[in-house]
Amino acid sequence: MTTHNALFQQCLAEIPQMQRAEFELCQNIADRIDDILHRKHLTQRDLAKMIGKRESEVSRWMTGRHNFTMKTIASISVALGEPIISVTKDRYANSYSIACEDACPYNKQ
């Protein structure tokens, strides 16, 4: 391992688990949106027009560092015609599951 990689790994290890989880969720949501856009042959500009936002704002979202609100996620889901994330309740087990397709860190075993 090079010195540069070792330093990076050390810095990464020092990030609190809560912050790491938040970053992963934000990044995974941005990745999910990007996947949908590519699959539907849409651009960030198209998405911005669909939800009444500036393209620069959507571009910031797609960096993976944006803390998405539920309102924003709902707006994007409606505009794209499919869920960005989903939360389902198992009535019989009285439990919930959260999914972001395969991108959610909580879906990985």
Side-chain angles (χ1 to χ4, degrees):
M1 183 179 297
T2 67
T3 305
H4 179 71
N5 285 340
L7 180 59
F8 176 76
Q9 292 301 321
Q10 179 184 353
C11 290
L12 191 60
E14 292 175 7
I15 298 172
Q17 187 176 1
M18 161 69 176
Q19 285 178 316
R20 220 173 317 143
E22 181 181 350
F23 172 77
E24 284 181 15
L25 284 170
C26 292
Q27 183 65 56
N28 291 336
I29 290 169
D31 288 347
R32 170 84 171 126
I33 294 166
D34 190 55
D35 289 345
I36 295 169
L37 290 175
H38 279 101
R39 191 167 19 87
K40 293 188 175 207
H41 304 289
L42 297 170
T43 64
Q44 291 179 19
R45 176 178 287 163
D46 295 329
L47 177 59
K49 287 179 185 177
M50 294 165 78
I51 60 176
K53 299 288 184 181
R54 292 183 310 276
E55 183 180 356
S56 60
E57 185 172 0
V58 171
S59 180
R60 278 193 307 275
W61 295 348
M62 301 307 289
T63 65
R65 295 184 309 266
H66 180 75
N67 189 6
F68 290 92
T69 65
M70 291 298 110
K71 182 177 180 180
T72 300
I73 292 170
S75 175
I76 295 168
S77 294
V78 168
L80 295 178
E82 59 185 279
I84 303 304
I85 62 172
S86 62
V87 179
T88 56
K89 180 179 181 181
D90 181 337
R91 295 185 324 195
Y92 303 105
N94 199 25
S95 64
Y96 293 87
S97 65
I98 300 172
C100 223
E101 292 295 307
D102 294 330
C104 248
Y106 302 107
N107 288 344
K108 297 177 183 163
Q109 301 298 331

